[in-house]
Amino acid sequence: MEATVSKRDKILDAALLLFAERGYDGTTVPMIADTAEVGAGTIYRYFESKEVLVNVLFQECVTRFIGSVSRNYPHAANIRAQFTHIFGGMVRFAKDDIHALHFIETHSGARYLDPKSRETFQQLMDFLHAFVHSGKEQGLIRPLPSDALIAIVFGAFTKMFTLIRAGKITETPELLSQIEESCWDAVRVHSD
Amino acid sequence: MEATVSKRDKILDAALLLFAERGYDGTTVPMIADTAEVGAGTIYRYFESKEVLVNVLFQECVTRFIGSVSRNYPHAANIRAQFTHIFGGMVRFAKDDIHALHFIETHSGARYLDPKSRETFQQLMDFLHAFVHSGKEQGLIRPLPSDALIAIVFGAFTKMFTLIRAGKITETPELLSQIEESCWDAVRVHSD
DNA sequence: GCTACCGGAATGAATGTTCATTCATTATTG
DNA sequence: CAATAATGAATGAACATTCATTCCGGTAGC
């Protein structure tokens, strides 16, 4: 069913755009229907409720994000190369779908997320935790709580991409590489 | 009018708590009334509408934030000392009212903010811009777009305090000082 | 080859609920 | 006993969701 897949995707795309821009509570189902160019009732053929829709979307986005940062992960490489890989994955993910990262950031922790969504997000955190933990063991990453280190990099990165999304700054390879350096300097141990 | 001030404040406190936790769109006026322990109608004696309420609250919070970072600002000191001052101001502000920072972060840029709210927020950005600009001129802060540098520090800091707010990590003077160091390393120029 | 019919997909007006806001009434204060 | 403050039930608007109806692609019968 080609048309079916396409319609479901149009709904998910519209929901992602609107949730990212206005938030879940600020988005109405008729808005999603209009943006997706389907009838309001059609949405309920694919998703039980608005709440189920946001959960499916959240899980899809986070799963794609995990894929972006973990695919081809250089397990044997040194910590700096691993950091570059993760950072590169985040950039690829954010560029590929400019709204998804913002959607994840603004909706992780929301009260309407179901256990499966929370667990999916936890998987992402676990992956990042493992990286940070290994870096701390090698004495190359600061001995701060892993949560804090992840928050620093993730916070800096998402705020950055919000600026890019808003058109306030232009994303270039040089800029991204400098941002990466800046984030790395925030978490690494310094010798001087 | 002791009672009047007190009631207006109770409403603002309740709104801040709920907006920070559930967002503007996820918070209903009756919820605010319940939390503030006033009748729903009472809110409209002090604020024309829910939208006016969120704007007044936003402006108050941002103004207090500006005060926190700019009061006693050491204009003559070196850039590192100025950074410590700003960071300390942010910490004081966040500790003084654990919800205000999160409210500002999640609501700056919202569609219902009026021009005055936007302008107030811009004042905060202008202050931070001036600091970053001066640091870049001295060659002590990285030659990145100011917006990006502010995003890095602000993003890292707010995400960090979200963790503290959620009880995931415990805020201690040592931790805060290490976070400050980490943020500073993210924006400063390195010689090694 | 054409028509009549079938069943799932799509629809949007209708439904019941919840919301922001109002206002007639009650409580408080000076 | 005014005058002012506070209230919460009442109101109309907007919401999420439902469902009777329409649409459409395929196909069985002629």
Side-chain angles (χ1 to χ4, degrees):
Chain A
M1 287 254 152
E2 165 58 34
T4 296
V5 171
S6 160
K7 234 157 234 230
R8 197 189 114 107
D9 284 354
K10 278 178 96 172
I11 292 165
L12 283 171
D13 284 353
L16 176 59
L17 175 72
L18 290 164
F19 289 161
E21 273 177 357
R22 323 182 96 249
Y24 174 78
D25 289 313
T27 301
T28 70
V29 172
M31 267 179 208
I32 299 171
D34 279 359
T35 304
E37 295 174 296
V38 301
T42 305
I43 290 175
Y44 290 86
R45 289 196 57 75
Y46 295 95
F47 306 97
E48 252 182 57
S49 65
K50 188 186 172 190
E51 205 164 306
V52 167
L53 169 58
V54 76
N55 276 282
V56 168
L57 185 61
F58 185 81
Q59 286 155 221
E60 280 197 10
C61 286
V62 173
T63 301
R64 276 195 293 121
F65 190 87
I66 293 173
S68 266
V69 294
S70 67
R71 199 180 358 266
N72 303 324
Y73 186 74
H75 289 280
N78 65 39
I79 201 84
R80 184 67 182 85
Q82 288 174 340
F83 184 82
T84 293
H85 183 273
I86 290 174
F87 195 90
M90 283 165 69
V91 168
R92 246 177 295 118
F93 178 78
K95 284 173 75 168
D96 178 57
D97 190 337
I98 196 74
H99 300 296
L101 184 74
H102 196 235
F103 167 66
I104 292 175
E105 203 212 348
T106 49
H107 291 76
S108 73
R111 64 190 185 286
Y112 37 76
L113 289 187
D114 62 22
K116 196 176 167 202
S117 292
R118 287 170 204 279
E119 201 206 306
T120 307
F121 188 71
Q122 191 53 49
Q123 279 171 28
L124 171 59
M125 287 298 118
D126 287 347
F127 175 82
L128 299 175
H129 255 93
F131 162 76
V132 168
H133 182 73
S134 129
K136 285 198 288 190
E137 280 204 327
Q138 295 173 237
L140 297 172
I141 285 184
R142 295 169 197 250
L144 282 170
S146 296
D147 280 326
L149 290 164
I150 292 170
I152 288 170
V153 173
F154 202 66
F157 184 83
T158 54
K159 270 256 172 304
M160 260 289 313
F161 251 89
T162 297
L163 286 177
I164 290 173
R165 213 170 66 96
K168 293 217 173 186
I169 58 179
T170 313
E171 161 245 314
T172 64
E174 297 78 46
L175 177 67
L176 290 175
S177 143
Q178 287 173 305
I179 300 288
E180 185 197 327
E181 199 62 33
S182 164
C183 286
W184 173 245
D185 279 335
V187 298
R188 71 177 250 246
V189 165
H190 290 264
S191 43
D192 62 352
Chain B
M1 284 232 167
E2 163 59 34
T4 295
V5 171
S6 160
K7 234 158 237 232
R8 196 188 115 106
D9 285 353
K10 278 178 94 172
I11 292 165
L12 284 171
D13 285 353
L16 176 58
L17 175 72
L18 289 164
F19 289 162
E21 273 178 356
R22 316 180 44 104
Y24 174 77
D25 289 312
T27 301
T28 71
V29 173
M31 266 180 210
I32 300 171
D34 280 359
T35 304
E37 296 174 296
V38 302
T42 306
I43 290 174
Y44 290 86
R45 289 195 58 77
Y46 295 96
F47 306 96
E48 252 183 55
S49 64
K50 188 187 170 189
E51 205 164 306
V52 167
L53 168 58
V54 75
N55 275 282
V56 168
L57 184 61
F58 185 82
Q59 286 155 222
E60 280 197 11
C61 285
V62 174
T63 301
R64 275 196 292 122
F65 190 87
I66 293 173
S68 266
V69 294
S70 67
R71 198 178 1 265
N72 304 323
Y73 185 74
H75 290 279
N78 65 38
I79 201 84
R80 184 67 183 87
Q82 287 173 340
F83 183 82
T84 293
H85 184 273
I86 290 174
F87 195 91
M90 283 164 69
V91 169
R92 243 177 298 117
F93 177 77
K95 284 172 72 168
D96 178 57
D97 190 337
I98 197 72
H99 300 296
L101 184 73
H102 196 235
F103 167 66
I104 292 175
E105 203 213 349
T106 49
H107 292 76
S108 72
R111 63 192 186 286
Y112 37 75
L113 289 188
D114 63 23
K116 196 176 169 205
S117 292
R118 287 170 204 279
E119 202 206 305
T120 308
F121 189 71
Q122 191 53 51
Q123 279 171 28
L124 171 59
M125 287 299 118
D126 288 347
F127 175 81
L128 298 176
H129 256 94
F131 162 75
V132 168
H133 182 73
S134 131
K136 284 198 288 190
E137 281 204 326
Q138 293 173 239
L140 298 173
I141 284 183
R142 296 168 197 251
L144 281 171
S146 296
D147 280 326
L149 291 163
I150 291 171
I152 287 170
V153 174
F154 203 65
F157 184 83
T158 53
K159 270 257 172 304
M160 258 291 311
F161 250 89
T162 296
L163 285 177
I164 290 172
R165 213 171 65 96
K168 291 215 177 188
I169 57 179
T170 312
E171 160 246 314
T172 64
E174 297 79 43
L175 177 67
L176 290 174
S177 144
Q178 287 173 303
I179 301 286
E180 183 197 327
E181 199 62 32
S182 164
C183 287
W184 174 245
D185 280 334
V187 299
R188 71 178 250 245
V189 166
H190 290 264
S191 42
D192 60 353

